[in-house]
Protein backbone atom coordinates (compact mmCIF):
# COMPACT_ATOMS: atom_id res chain seq x y z
CA UNK A 1 0.00 0.00 0.00
CA UNK A 2 1.13 3.54 -0.61
CA UNK A 3 1.46 6.05 2.20
CA UNK A 4 0.15 9.60 2.10
CA UNK A 5 0.37 12.82 4.01
CA UNK A 6 -2.85 13.44 5.91
CA UNK A 7 -4.23 16.82 4.91
CA UNK A 8 -7.35 18.54 6.11
CA UNK A 9 -9.07 21.77 5.16
CA UNK A 10 -11.56 23.34 7.53
CA UNK A 11 -13.35 24.82 4.51
CA UNK A 12 -13.91 21.48 2.83
CA UNK A 13 -17.32 20.10 3.67
CA UNK A 14 -16.89 16.43 2.87
CA UNK A 15 -14.99 13.84 4.85
CA UNK A 16 -12.09 12.25 3.02
CA UNK A 17 -11.47 8.56 3.69
CA UNK A 18 -7.88 7.42 3.84
CA UNK A 19 -7.68 3.80 2.77
CA UNK A 20 -3.93 3.57 2.33
CA UNK A 21 -2.05 1.86 5.14
CA UNK A 22 0.54 4.15 6.68
CA UNK A 23 3.51 1.98 7.63
CA UNK A 24 1.12 -0.65 8.89
CA UNK A 25 -1.16 1.47 11.08
CA UNK A 26 -4.30 2.06 9.05
CA UNK A 27 -5.57 5.63 9.00
CA UNK A 28 -9.29 5.45 8.46
CA UNK A 29 -10.27 9.12 8.38
CA UNK A 30 -9.19 12.71 8.66
CA UNK A 31 -9.50 14.71 11.87
CA UNK A 32 -10.99 18.17 11.67
CA UNK A 33 -9.51 18.81 15.09
CA UNK A 34 -6.02 18.32 13.70
CA UNK A 35 -3.98 21.00 12.02
CA UNK A 36 -4.61 21.78 8.34
CA UNK A 37 -1.59 19.64 7.47
CA UNK A 38 -0.37 16.90 9.78
CA UNK A 39 1.82 14.12 8.47
CA UNK A 40 0.67 11.19 10.56
CA UNK A 41 3.14 8.93 8.76
CA UNK A 42 5.98 11.14 9.99
CA UNK A 43 4.65 11.05 13.55
CA UNK A 44 4.40 7.29 13.46
CA UNK A 45 7.88 6.93 12.00
CA UNK A 46 9.30 9.16 14.72
CA UNK A 47 7.54 7.08 17.38
CA UNK A 48 9.08 3.92 15.94
CA UNK A 49 12.53 5.55 15.76
CA UNK A 50 12.24 6.80 19.33
CA UNK A 51 11.33 3.30 20.54
CA UNK A 52 14.33 1.83 18.73
CA UNK A 53 16.69 4.48 20.09
CA UNK A 54 15.45 3.93 23.63
CA UNK A 55 15.82 0.18 23.27
CA UNK A 56 19.43 0.64 22.16
CA UNK A 57 20.11 3.02 25.02
CA UNK A 58 18.79 0.51 27.54
CA UNK A 59 20.78 -2.37 26.12
CA UNK A 60 19.23 -4.87 28.55
CA UNK A 61 16.57 -6.45 26.36
CA UNK A 62 13.73 -4.38 27.78
CA UNK A 63 11.72 -1.82 25.82
CA UNK A 64 9.53 1.23 26.31
CA UNK A 65 7.11 -0.43 23.87
CA UNK A 66 5.05 -2.39 26.41
CA UNK A 67 4.71 0.72 28.59
CA UNK A 68 3.39 2.69 25.61
CA UNK A 69 0.80 -0.03 25.03
CA UNK A 70 -0.17 0.15 28.69
CA UNK A 71 -0.48 3.95 28.47
CA UNK A 72 -2.84 3.69 25.51
CA UNK A 73 -4.74 0.90 27.25
CA UNK A 74 -5.20 2.71 30.57
CA UNK A 75 -6.02 6.03 28.93
CA UNK A 76 -8.82 4.27 27.04
CA UNK A 77 -10.00 1.69 29.56
CA UNK A 78 -11.93 4.08 31.81
CA UNK A 79 -14.87 4.18 29.40
CA UNK A 80 -18.41 3.36 30.50
CA UNK A 81 -20.99 2.60 27.84
CA UNK A 82 -23.77 3.33 30.35
CA UNK A 83 -23.10 7.07 30.56
CA UNK A 84 -20.45 7.67 27.88
CA UNK A 85 -17.84 8.88 30.35
CA UNK A 86 -14.15 8.04 30.25
CA UNK A 87 -12.15 6.74 27.32
CA UNK A 88 -9.11 8.00 25.45
CA UNK A 89 -10.67 11.32 24.45
CA UNK A 90 -9.38 14.11 26.67
CA UNK A 91 -6.07 12.51 27.68
CA UNK A 92 -7.03 13.31 31.26
CA UNK A 93 -4.21 11.22 32.71
CA UNK A 94 -2.21 14.42 32.33
CA UNK A 95 -3.86 15.56 35.55
CA UNK A 96 -4.16 14.32 39.12
CA UNK A 97 -5.86 12.33 40.48
CA UNK A 98 -5.96 10.02 37.43
CA UNK A 99 -2.21 10.23 36.95
CA UNK A 100 -1.80 9.10 40.57
CA UNK A 101 -4.16 6.12 40.49
CA UNK A 102 -2.42 2.93 41.57
CA UNK A 103 -3.31 1.27 38.28
CA UNK A 104 -1.41 4.03 36.44
CA UNK A 105 1.79 3.75 38.47
CA UNK A 106 4.85 3.93 36.24
CA UNK A 107 3.05 5.46 33.26
CA UNK A 108 4.68 8.85 33.73
CA UNK A 109 7.69 7.22 32.06
CA UNK A 110 5.66 6.69 28.87
CA UNK A 111 4.02 10.12 29.00
CA UNK A 112 7.40 11.81 29.43
CA UNK A 113 8.89 9.67 26.66
CA UNK A 114 6.35 11.10 24.21
CA UNK A 115 6.81 14.76 25.21
CA UNK A 116 9.56 15.46 22.63
CA UNK A 117 7.22 14.22 19.91
CA UNK A 118 4.39 16.37 21.21
CA UNK A 119 6.78 19.35 21.09
CA UNK A 120 7.80 18.46 17.53
CA UNK A 121 4.19 17.98 16.42
CA UNK A 122 2.13 20.41 18.52
CA UNK A 123 -0.80 19.94 16.14
CA UNK A 124 -1.46 16.40 17.38
CA UNK A 125 -3.49 16.00 20.55
CA UNK A 126 -2.08 14.07 23.48
CA UNK A 127 -5.04 11.72 23.16
CA UNK A 128 -4.15 10.93 19.55
CA UNK A 129 -0.42 10.73 20.30
CA UNK A 130 -0.83 8.30 23.19
CA UNK A 131 -3.13 5.97 21.28
CA UNK A 132 -1.06 6.13 18.08
CA UNK A 133 2.04 5.31 20.14
CA UNK A 134 0.33 2.24 21.59
CA UNK A 135 -0.77 1.05 18.17
CA UNK A 136 2.69 1.68 16.73
CA UNK A 137 4.41 -0.13 19.59
CA UNK A 138 2.30 -3.25 19.00
CA UNK A 139 3.43 -3.39 15.40
CA UNK A 140 7.07 -2.58 16.22
CA UNK A 141 7.11 -5.60 18.55
CA UNK A 142 5.88 -7.90 15.79
CA UNK A 143 2.18 -7.69 16.50
CA UNK A 144 -0.77 -7.11 14.20
CA UNK A 145 -1.67 -3.90 12.46
CA UNK A 146 -4.08 -1.80 14.51
CA UNK A 147 -6.75 0.26 12.75
CA UNK A 148 -6.31 3.81 14.02
CA UNK A 149 -7.69 7.21 13.07
CA UNK A 150 -7.09 10.72 14.42
CA UNK A 151 -9.72 12.95 15.90
CA UNK A 152 -9.38 12.82 19.68
CA UNK A 153 -9.18 16.09 21.56
CA UNK A 154 -7.52 17.09 24.82
CA UNK A 155 -9.44 18.16 27.88
CA UNK A 156 -8.42 21.28 29.80
CA UNK A 157 -9.72 19.85 33.07
CA UNK A 158 -9.25 16.58 34.99
CA UNK A 159 -11.59 13.65 34.62
CA UNK A 160 -14.61 13.23 36.86
CA UNK A 161 -14.45 9.45 36.38
CA UNK A 162 -13.83 7.61 39.67
CA UNK A 163 -10.83 5.39 40.31
CA UNK A 164 -11.49 1.67 40.01
CA UNK A 165 -12.50 1.34 36.37
CA UNK A 166 -9.30 -0.44 35.29
CA UNK A 167 -8.73 -4.21 35.74
CA UNK A 168 -7.36 -5.45 39.06
CA UNK A 169 -4.74 -8.19 39.32
CA UNK A 170 -6.45 -10.12 42.10
CA UNK A 171 -10.03 -10.12 43.36
CA UNK A 172 -9.53 -12.90 45.89
CA UNK A 173 -10.65 -16.07 44.11
CA UNK A 174 -11.35 -17.38 40.61
CA UNK A 175 -15.06 -16.65 40.76
CA UNK A 176 -14.41 -13.10 41.94
CA UNK A 177 -11.73 -12.59 39.29
CA UNK A 178 -14.12 -13.73 36.54
CA UNK A 179 -16.89 -11.50 37.86
CA UNK A 180 -14.49 -8.56 38.08
CA UNK A 181 -13.18 -9.02 34.54
CA UNK A 182 -16.68 -9.32 33.14
CA UNK A 183 -17.76 -6.23 35.06
CA UNK A 184 -14.77 -4.10 34.00
CA UNK A 185 -14.78 -5.14 30.36
CA UNK A 186 -18.54 -5.50 30.09
CA UNK A 187 -18.89 -1.90 31.21
CA UNK A 188 -16.96 -0.95 28.08
CA UNK A 189 -18.95 -3.26 25.81
CA UNK A 190 -16.55 -6.22 25.48
CA UNK A 191 -17.62 -9.88 25.46
CA UNK A 192 -15.76 -12.90 26.87
CA UNK A 193 -13.81 -13.53 23.67
CA UNK A 194 -12.65 -9.92 23.51
CA UNK A 195 -11.66 -10.04 27.19
CA UNK A 196 -9.34 -12.97 26.55
CA UNK A 197 -7.97 -11.44 23.35
CA UNK A 198 -7.07 -8.19 25.13
CA UNK A 199 -5.47 -10.13 27.98
CA UNK A 200 -3.02 -11.42 25.37
CA UNK A 201 -1.20 -8.09 25.63
CA UNK A 202 0.47 -9.69 28.64
CA UNK A 203 2.71 -11.39 26.10
CA UNK A 204 4.76 -8.20 26.35
CA UNK A 205 6.23 -6.31 29.25
CA UNK A 206 6.68 -7.22 32.88
CA UNK A 207 5.56 -6.25 36.37
CA UNK A 208 7.79 -4.03 38.50
CA UNK A 209 7.74 -4.17 42.30
CA UNK A 210 8.20 -0.42 42.55
CA UNK A 211 5.09 0.19 40.46
CA UNK A 212 2.56 -2.56 41.17
CA UNK A 213 4.26 -4.63 43.85
CA UNK A 214 4.32 -7.63 41.51
CA UNK A 215 7.50 -8.90 39.86
CA UNK A 216 8.51 -10.47 36.59
CA UNK A 217 7.64 -11.01 32.93
CA UNK A 218 4.79 -13.16 31.66
CA UNK A 219 6.85 -14.64 28.82
CA UNK A 220 10.48 -15.25 27.88
CA UNK A 221 10.23 -12.73 25.03
CA UNK A 222 8.76 -9.67 26.72
CA UNK A 223 9.40 -7.37 23.76
CA UNK A 224 7.84 -9.69 21.17
CA UNK A 225 4.09 -9.65 20.61
CA UNK A 226 2.90 -13.24 20.11
CA UNK A 227 0.47 -15.87 21.40
CA UNK A 228 3.10 -17.17 23.82
CA UNK A 229 1.15 -15.91 26.84
CA UNK A 230 -1.69 -18.33 26.07
CA UNK A 231 0.62 -21.28 25.44
CA UNK A 232 2.39 -20.69 28.75
CA UNK A 233 -0.89 -20.37 30.63
CA UNK A 234 -1.81 -23.86 29.46
CA UNK A 235 1.54 -25.65 29.45
CA UNK A 236 3.47 -24.36 32.45
CA UNK A 237 2.83 -25.45 36.03
CA UNK A 238 1.95 -22.34 38.01
CA UNK A 239 2.39 -22.29 41.79
CA UNK A 240 2.21 -19.47 44.37
CA UNK A 241 5.42 -17.47 44.56
CA UNK A 242 7.18 -18.07 47.89
CA UNK A 243 10.69 -16.69 47.44
CA UNK A 244 12.54 -14.06 45.44
CA UNK A 245 16.31 -13.92 45.02
CA UNK A 246 16.72 -16.42 47.83
CA UNK A 247 14.54 -14.50 50.28
CA UNK A 248 10.92 -14.85 51.36
CA UNK A 249 8.55 -13.20 48.91
CA UNK A 250 6.92 -10.24 50.65
CA UNK A 251 4.90 -8.99 47.70
CA UNK A 252 1.25 -9.58 46.78
CA UNK A 253 -0.09 -12.98 45.75
CA UNK A 254 1.25 -14.04 42.36
CA UNK A 255 2.25 -17.25 40.64
CA UNK A 256 5.47 -18.48 39.07
CA UNK A 257 6.65 -21.23 36.76
CA UNK A 258 8.93 -24.02 38.08
CA UNK A 259 12.20 -22.09 37.73
CA UNK A 260 10.72 -18.81 38.95
CA UNK A 261 11.63 -16.86 35.83
CA UNK A 262 8.07 -16.14 34.72
CA UNK A 263 4.96 -14.94 36.51
CA UNK A 264 1.19 -14.90 36.25
CA UNK A 265 -1.29 -12.82 38.17
CA UNK A 266 -4.32 -14.41 39.82
CA UNK A 267 -6.52 -12.76 37.18
CA UNK A 268 -4.38 -14.34 34.45
CA UNK A 269 -4.92 -17.83 35.84
CA UNK A 270 -8.66 -17.26 36.03
CA UNK A 271 -8.63 -17.36 32.22
CA UNK A 272 -7.70 -21.06 32.26
CA UNK A 273 -9.67 -21.98 35.36
CA UNK A 274 -12.97 -20.49 34.23
CA UNK A 275 -15.00 -22.36 31.58
CA UNK A 276 -16.20 -19.01 30.26
CA UNK A 277 -12.69 -18.05 29.19
CA UNK A 278 -10.62 -21.22 28.73
CA UNK A 279 -11.89 -22.15 25.23
CA UNK A 280 -10.56 -18.84 23.90
CA UNK A 281 -7.21 -19.35 25.65
CA UNK A 282 -6.97 -22.75 23.94
CA UNK A 283 -7.95 -21.23 20.58
CA UNK A 284 -5.34 -18.50 20.73
CA UNK A 285 -2.62 -20.85 21.98
CA UNK A 286 -3.12 -22.95 18.84
CA UNK A 287 -3.81 -20.20 16.33
CA UNK A 288 -1.69 -17.06 16.52
CA UNK A 289 -3.25 -15.63 13.36
CA UNK A 290 -6.70 -15.81 14.94
CA UNK A 291 -5.36 -14.18 18.09
CA UNK A 292 -3.79 -11.37 16.07
CA UNK A 293 -7.03 -10.78 14.19
CA UNK A 294 -9.14 -10.72 17.34
CA UNK A 295 -6.68 -8.63 19.32
CA UNK A 296 -6.34 -6.07 16.53
CA UNK A 297 -10.11 -5.61 16.36
CA UNK A 298 -10.56 -5.44 20.13
CA UNK A 299 -7.63 -3.08 20.71
CA UNK A 300 -8.76 -0.72 17.96
CA UNK A 301 -12.23 -0.74 19.51
CA UNK A 302 -10.73 0.02 22.93
CA UNK A 303 -8.80 3.03 21.62
CA UNK A 304 -11.98 4.52 20.10
CA UNK A 305 -14.40 4.04 22.99
CA UNK A 306 -16.30 7.24 23.71
CA UNK A 307 -14.63 9.22 20.93
CA UNK A 308 -16.87 11.23 18.62
CA UNK A 309 -14.79 11.53 15.49
CA UNK A 310 -15.26 14.57 13.25
CA UNK A 311 -16.96 12.66 10.44
CA UNK A 312 -19.45 11.25 12.96
CA UNK A 313 -20.17 14.71 14.33
CA UNK A 314 -20.64 15.97 10.78
CA UNK A 315 -23.00 13.10 9.98
CA UNK A 316 -25.05 13.93 13.05
CA UNK A 317 -25.20 17.59 12.05
CA UNK A 318 -26.52 16.84 8.56
CA UNK A 319 -28.95 14.29 9.92
CA UNK A 320 -30.40 16.91 12.23
CA UNK A 321 -30.72 19.37 9.37
CA UNK A 322 -31.85 17.13 6.53
CA UNK A 323 -32.86 13.83 8.09
CA UNK A 324 -30.19 11.69 6.43
Amino acid sequence: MSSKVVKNSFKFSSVVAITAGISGVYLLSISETAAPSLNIEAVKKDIANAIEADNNRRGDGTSIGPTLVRLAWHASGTYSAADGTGGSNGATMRFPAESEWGANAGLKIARDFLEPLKAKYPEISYADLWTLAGATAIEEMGGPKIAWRPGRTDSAVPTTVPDGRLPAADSGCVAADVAHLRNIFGRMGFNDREIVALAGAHAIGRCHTEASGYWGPWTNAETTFSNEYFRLLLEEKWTPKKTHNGKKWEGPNQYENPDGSLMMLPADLSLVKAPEFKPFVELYAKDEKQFFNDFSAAFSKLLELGVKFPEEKKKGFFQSLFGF
Side-chain angles (χ1 to χ4, degrees):
M1 295 183 179
S2 62
S3 55
K4 301 178 181 179
V5 174
V6 176
K7 294 183 180 290
N8 180 29
S9 169
F10 294 105
K11 297 180 181 179
F12 194 60
S13 61
S14 65
V15 176
V16 182
I18 302 297
T19 57
I22 295 186
S23 297
V25 174
Y26 295 139
L27 299 185
L28 302 181
S29 65
I30 289 177
S31 167
E32 287 184 311
T33 62
S37 180
L38 178 59
N39 189 334
I40 297 294
E41 180 183 9
V43 180
K44 181 186 176 296
K45 183 177 180 180
D46 279 355
I47 292 171
N49 288 340
I51 292 172
E52 182 178 5
D54 188 73
N55 292 350
N56 292 336
R57 179 188 61 78
R58 294 182 178 209
D60 60 0
T62 65
S63 172
I64 190 67
T67 312
L68 294 175
V69 175
R70 182 167 163 251
L71 173 63
W73 209 120
H74 284 213
S76 306
T78 58
Y79 179 69
S80 172
D83 58 14
T85 59
S88 63
N89 209 44
T92 50
M93 202 192 300
R94 293 164 15 249
F95 309 108
E98 187 177 350
S99 63
E100 298 168 352
W101 292 349
N104 291 333
L107 289 179
K108 185 177 185 299
I109 295 171
R111 297 194 301 271
D112 289 349
F113 174 82
L114 293 172
E115 280 297 326
L117 292 173
K118 175 60 175 163
K120 182 175 181 179
Y121 302 101
E123 309 94 329
I124 194 170
S125 67
Y126 279 102
D128 272 348
L129 180 60
W130 292 357
T131 53
L132 178 60
T136 302
I138 290 289
E139 184 186 348
E140 288 300 304
M141 291 183 286
K145 298 174 176 64
I146 307 296
W148 182 92
R149 53 179 166 168
R152 299 161 189 80
T153 57
D154 292 336
S155 173
V157 296
T159 186
T160 57
V161 167
D163 193 1
R165 286 192 174 184
L166 294 168
D170 184 4
S171 297
C173 66
V174 172
D177 284 331
V178 171
H180 171 75
L181 290 174
R182 281 182 149 180
N183 176 60
I184 291 293
F185 286 88
R187 187 200 69 237
M188 293 185 277
F190 291 110
N191 59 31
D192 288 348
R193 182 171 182 145
E194 291 170 316
I195 292 172
V196 178
L198 287 170
H202 280 175
I204 55 175
R206 61 167 53 220
C207 288
H208 301 269
T209 53
E210 66 272 20
S212 64
Y214 297 96
W215 177 88
W218 286 270
T219 73
N220 289 306
E222 62 187 89
T223 62
T224 300
F225 196 92
S226 70
N227 66 339
E228 188 73 353
Y229 166 77
F230 299 110
R231 186 188 68 78
L232 292 169
L233 269 174
L234 294 169
E235 296 181 8
E236 288 281 355
K237 180 180 180 180
W238 300 101
T239 57
K241 185 175 180 63
K242 301 295 185 182
T243 62
H244 186 64
N245 292 332
K247 299 179 181 180
K248 181 180 178 182
W249 172 246
E250 301 289 351
N253 181 37
Q254 68 173 78
Y255 293 81
E256 64 183 6
N257 67 336
D259 68 7
S261 62
L262 302 177
M263 63 86 68
M264 289 288 171
L265 303 170
D268 292 314
L269 290 185
S270 75
L271 299 182
V272 290
K273 293 180 178 180
E276 301 94 327
F277 297 142
K278 188 174 181 181
F280 302 118
V281 174
E282 294 173 331
L283 171 65
Y284 297 147
K286 295 176 181 177
D287 191 339
E288 185 176 70
K289 182 178 179 181
Q290 186 64 63
F291 165 53
F292 275 26
N293 288 341
D294 287 0
F295 178 86
S296 177
F299 194 67
S300 178
K301 174 180 172 179
L302 173 69
L303 300 185
E304 295 197 351
L305 292 175
V307 182
K308 294 188 182 300
F309 291 96
E311 66 273 20
E312 294 167 359
K313 294 177 183 178
K314 182 172 292 184
K315 180 179 179 181
F317 172 73
F318 283 111
Q319 283 178 332
S320 67
L321 285 180
F322 306 113
F324 61 83

